Each structure stands twice: as structure tokens, then as C-alpha cells.
Amino acid sequence: MKFIDSIEILIRGGHGGSGAVSFHRAKYVPKGGPDGGDGGHGGSVKFLATNRVSTLGKFRSKKSYAARPGEAGQKRNRSGADGADLTLQVPVGTVITDADTGEVIADLNLPDSEVVAAQGGRGGQGNARFANSINQAPEYAQPGLPGEEKRIQLNLKLIADAGLVGLPNAGKSTLLSKVTANQAKIGAYAFTTLNPNLGVLENNEERRILMADIPGIIEGASKGAGLGLSFLRHIERVRVIIYILDLTSVDPAADLRMLRMELKHYNPELTERPGFIILNKLDEIDYDEKFASELAQALKEEMQGLAEDIVFISAKEQAGLQEFKDKLFACFPEITQAERMLSINANEISESAE
Ligand SMILES: Nc1nc2c(ncn2[C@@H]2O[C@H](COP(=O)(O)OP(=O)(O)O)[C@@H](O)[C@H]2O)c(=O)[nH]1
Ligand SMILES: [Mg+2]
């Protein structure tokens, strides 16, 4: 299964019910007035952001969605029932765009935020509405109107371009602090001040990568140990997973296996995502080529060919960090989340200045 972060679907509001043509009939009332009720309105298609779903995967198998039509009006001035709305659940962070016009309908950043994306059609008026002094017995009623129909592009914003996954004490926080923009500069990135576990890496070609420190992955995290599940949810929304391993550990390859097992139990697709391996605390060991190449080999086997790169570093002594950055940037030939967010911020700033 592929990680889906962009998908197109068709949505349609329900058709409005038609108005009724009917005349009052009762004993002793030979010629009653018109009493055709109105048709019900068609249901609307809505999107609801929720943490209960984390990908757009379900929209891959079903591409077209319609809300219920309104019922027709009835005699004795009874209105038809409105059609039920159709609410489609999407992950928090989904941007909903009209695929034909490019207009952003909603940016659902908060849990439980909701938007009507396709209105249902109006119900038609029954003939009772058309009676007047000239025509006291209108023989016509309105048909219901069709619901709005739209091609919708759903985009799930990633929370970060790359996520750091490692056992407690592997050096995630240290690395994040050493490779991301310094505190003064971080102030310019509004999103990083909202979340202390995010940092922006910059290179001298003005590229930027948003990196997340994802703490709390321990054995059993996928079964809810610690705060495991709440952290695992974040990993679903990064493009590249950086595994950070501690070279002073008894068996770094076993640590990697355990980390990947937790990811796999949570969501098998995570272990198929591009990976990147960092071996940290180089300063603590006696490095030799044979040990390094054997370890690299063992780690590549754990990754089943999905590791783009393996880099030895010392976060503390700032060794190997340039190589790490260069190789990480090479994983992102396309525009990154950091770059996208920054251009959005720039637009917002220029709009509010007007
Ligand atoms: N010797 C050495 N210690 C490190 C290195 N990186 C981190 N540490 C230490 O390892 C401990 C855990 O680091 P931290 O960044 O908090 O790990 P985290 O739990 O993965 O966020 C701290 O005492 C760090 O100073 C390194 O490259 N070399
Ligand atoms: Mg930490």
C-alpha cells in the first residue's frame, strides 16, 4: 500500500424533491383549494476532520459520493423530508480544494472542524404556493433542483518532511537542536514555536526541511505502552523516517528491528516508507572500517532495501552532521512541507498587511 496524501473524488449534493400538485378533497367541499406540499431539500456533502482516521486511503477504492435526495412534496400541504447529509471523515490536516477552479474550500486544521463542500438542491414548491386571486387552482408545481456537483482534490498536509524515530536516549533531541535553525531564527517559523518537537533544516541553496522529533517509541508502543500511540500517529504524517540508533547499544541492529516492529504493528505501511539511518554517539566508540561495514550491512538487511543512506554521526560533538544534512536534502527533490508552509505564511502576512 502506498502512502496517499493527495487524491481526487467526485461529490454531489442530493437532488431536491419536487413540489406536489394536489387539491384538497373532503366531504361537503366539492372543489377544494390546492394543497400540494413542497419537496424536501437535498442533503449536502460535508467533510469532517477527525483524528479517528489518519490517511486518505479509503478514498482510493471509492471515488464518488452523493448525499440523499429530498423527498417529493405530498398532498394536504405535507412537505417532503429533507435528504440526509453525507459526512465524509478526513484526517486533521486535510486541505479541500475545488479541482476545477483551484479554489481552496477549506483547510481543516482542527479536530472536529467541518465544511459543506457540495450543497443539496432546493426542494421545489408545491402548487399550494402558486395560488393567487387570478389562479386559484394552479396545476403546476416546481421541480426540485439538482445538488451541486464538484470534483474535489483532497490533500493531506504532512506535519513534517522527516521524522526522527529512535529509542529514548538515542540522541533525537540533541540532533534536532544541532541541525535545525538556532532559536532566534526559529522565531521566524511560526509552526515550530507551536510545537517544540519541530525544527527547520536549511541548506545554502535555500532549501528547507521540516524535521520532527518523535519521542516515546519503546517496546510495546504500538499496543499503547507509554504514550506510544499518540506519538505513532505523528509518524504517519512524515515523508521520510529517520531511524536514529545508539552506537553504544549492545546491538543497534536489534534496536532497529524493534523500532520497525512497533511501526509495523501500528501500521504496516510505515515500514515501507523511505528510511534513513543515523548511527549516533560515534565519539563513544572505537570506530573501525570492518565493524562499520558489517553493521551497515546488518542494518540494510533490516531495512529490506528501503534505507537510502546510513550515516555515522556524533550529535554531541557535531561530527558527520554536514554529511547527514546533504544526504537528507537529497531525499527531497520536490518542494517540501517546510517550503510550502513558509510560502503560505508569506501569503498570509502579505494579505493581512493590505
Ligand atoms: N556521547 C554522546 N552522547 C550523546 C550524543 N548525542 C546525544 N547524547 C547524549 O545522550 C543523552 C540522550 O540524548 P537525547 O538527545 O536527550 O536523546 P533522546 O531521548 O533521543 O531525545 C543525553 O545525555 C545526550 O547528551 C552523542 O553524539 N555522543
Ligand atoms: Mg528527547
Side-chain angles (χ1 to χ4, degrees):
M1 197 177 106
K2 213 174 152 292
F3 178 50
I4 298 171
D5 63 356
S6 177
I7 208 155
E8 203 177 286
I9 61 170
L10 196 67
I11 60 170
R12 188 157 32 84
H15 206 288
S18 47
V21 175
S22 165
F23 295 94
H24 186 60
R25 299 269 178 270
K27 270 184 192 169
Y28 316 120
V29 187
K31 192 168 182 286
D35 70 353
D38 300 337
H41 301 308
S44 299
V45 180
K46 298 174 173 175
F47 290 96
L48 170 70
T50 166
N51 283 323
R52 284 186 296 277
V53 294
S54 54
T55 70
L56 298 172
K58 70 170 173 184
F59 296 103
R60 189 160 64 157
S61 44
K62 189 169 190 282
K63 296 271 190 200
S64 156
Y65 296 85
R68 302 286 304 161
E71 285 178 8
Q74 295 166 39
K75 52 185 148 190
R76 290 191 216 103
N77 287 313
R78 291 216 311 271
S79 299
D82 291 342
D85 292 338
L86 176 66
T87 301
L88 300 172
Q89 295 195 353
V90 294
V92 175
T94 302
V95 183
I96 297 170
T97 308
D98 183 316
D100 292 311
T101 65
E103 176 211 356
V104 174
I105 296 169
D107 190 345
L108 300 178
N109 274 323
L110 297 172
D112 301 322
S113 48
E114 195 179 63
V115 65
V116 173
Q119 290 278 0
R122 276 184 63 93
Q125 293 186 327
N127 71 335
R129 304 257 187 203
F130 298 102
N132 55 37
S133 55
I134 296 159
N135 185 354
Q136 293 177 13
E139 291 279 353
Y140 56 83
Q142 279 177 333
L145 297 178
E148 281 185 294
E149 186 169 319
K150 286 182 185 165
R151 280 200 310 132
I152 295 286
Q153 176 92 39
L154 299 173
N155 287 300
L156 179 56
K157 288 186 299 189
L158 299 170
I159 57 164
D161 298 299
L164 280 172
V165 171
L167 291 173
N169 287 321
K172 299 179 293 296
S173 304
T174 307
L175 178 64
L176 189 79
S177 71
K178 300 282 176 169
V179 294
T180 59
N182 62 40
Q183 279 305 320
K185 219 170 169 185
I186 278 175
Y189 299 129
F191 44 87
T192 61
T193 55
L194 294 175
N195 186 333
N197 291 338
L198 287 173
V200 178
L201 281 79
E202 299 178 328
N203 74 3
N204 44 25
E205 282 144 45
E206 303 203 354
R207 296 293 318 271
R208 292 180 176 89
I209 289 173
L210 188 57
M211 189 160 90
D213 169 2
I214 298 168
I217 312 298
I218 53 174
E219 189 150 26
S222 61
K223 297 190 186 75
L227 290 170
L229 289 173
S230 56
F231 295 123
L232 280 163
R233 180 171 291 140
H234 294 308
I235 307 178
E236 294 196 296
R237 291 170 60 195
V238 303
R239 195 173 296 284
V240 172
I241 296 174
I242 303 170
Y243 298 91
I244 176 166
L245 305 172
D246 186 340
L247 278 167
T248 67
S249 152
V250 179
D251 186 352
D255 295 344
L256 177 63
R257 191 176 318 133
M258 196 281 270
L259 289 168
R260 285 174 59 76
M261 199 58 83
E262 292 303 325
L263 299 192
K264 189 170 186 168
H265 282 154
Y266 180 71
N267 175 355
E269 181 269 321
L270 287 174
T271 50
E272 292 163 25
R273 232 175 257 181
F276 191 106
I277 295 174
I278 292 176
L279 289 154
N280 189 32
K281 308 196 185 179
L282 184 57
D283 57 294
E284 294 267 5
I285 63 156
D286 293 321
Y287 182 89
D288 84 82
E289 288 292 342
K290 186 161 172 290
F291 161 79
S293 72
E294 279 172 12
L295 180 55
Q297 191 53 41
L299 297 173
K300 285 200 161 142
E301 274 164 30
E302 290 297 335
M303 292 297 293
Q304 294 162 325
L306 284 164
E308 300 270 335
D309 278 299
I310 296 181
V311 183
F312 287 75
I313 66 161
S314 166
K316 193 168 139 191
E317 312 257 286
Q318 309 205 39
L321 298 189
Q322 191 57 48
E323 184 190 357
F324 160 64
K325 284 178 69 175
D326 290 346
K327 289 193 163 156
L328 189 65
F329 272 98
C331 298
F332 294 93
E334 282 147 20
I335 183 169
T336 63
Q337 183 64 11
E339 289 156 354
R340 202 174 294 129
M341 287 173 114
L342 287 167
S343 65
I344 290 168
N345 283 356
N347 290 342
E348 278 170 1
I349 290 161
S350 64
E351 273 167 29
S352 59
E354 279 164 18

